[in-house]
Amino acid sequence: MNDQIEQSHAAQQSAQVYLSIAKKKLKRLIAAKSNNLNDALETFAVVTGDMKLENKMNESFSDLVRATNLAFIPKIKEVIEAAEAHIDVLQPNLE
């Protein structure tokens, strides 16, 4: 019985390690994509003189990756909302 418990425990730990690695990879991928939008929006803000938008979009890739999940998720939502608000500038040929 103890062998079964130990095997089950080892399998669960292995699964947790795998999930942790997968979550980190996913977070880095989301941060990279968000950083691309963030940079485009920040550039747009600089060109147009929109200081409010520029200040909101000044996060770097490493800032995003280092953020806690609690801070990461709202920041990603903020970038997506700003991108949606300025979609005509980011993708002018959308028709």
Side-chain angles (χ1 to χ4, degrees):
M1 185 68 160
N2 283 339
D3 287 342
Q4 288 177 330
I5 292 172
E6 287 180 26
Q7 286 175 348
S8 177
H9 179 68
Q12 288 175 355
Q13 283 184 326
S14 177
Q16 287 176 346
V17 169
Y18 173 77
L19 286 176
S20 177
I21 291 169
K23 282 174 62 176
K24 286 179 184 177
K25 286 182 179 179
L26 182 58
K27 184 176 182 179
R28 289 182 67 81
L29 177 65
I30 292 169
K33 301 297 182 183
S34 180
N35 186 55
N36 290 342
L37 283 174
N38 193 17
D39 289 346
L41 288 162
E42 185 178 15
T43 301
F44 168 71
V46 168
V47 169
T48 61
D50 187 342
M51 294 297 291
K52 186 177 177 184
L53 181 61
E54 182 182 349
N55 289 334
K56 282 184 175 182
M57 298 297 123
N58 66 355
E59 301 281 336
S60 68
F61 169 76
S62 57
D63 292 336
L64 292 170
V65 171
R66 283 190 305 237
T68 64
N69 289 345
L70 206 56
F72 180 76
I73 293 168
K75 182 61 185 174
I76 298 304
K77 287 181 180 180
E78 182 179 49
V79 171
I80 291 169
E81 288 169 1
E84 288 174 341
H86 298 91
I87 192 72
D88 55 327
V89 176
L90 296 174
Q91 185 97 27
N93 296 325
L94 249 182
E95 293 175 7

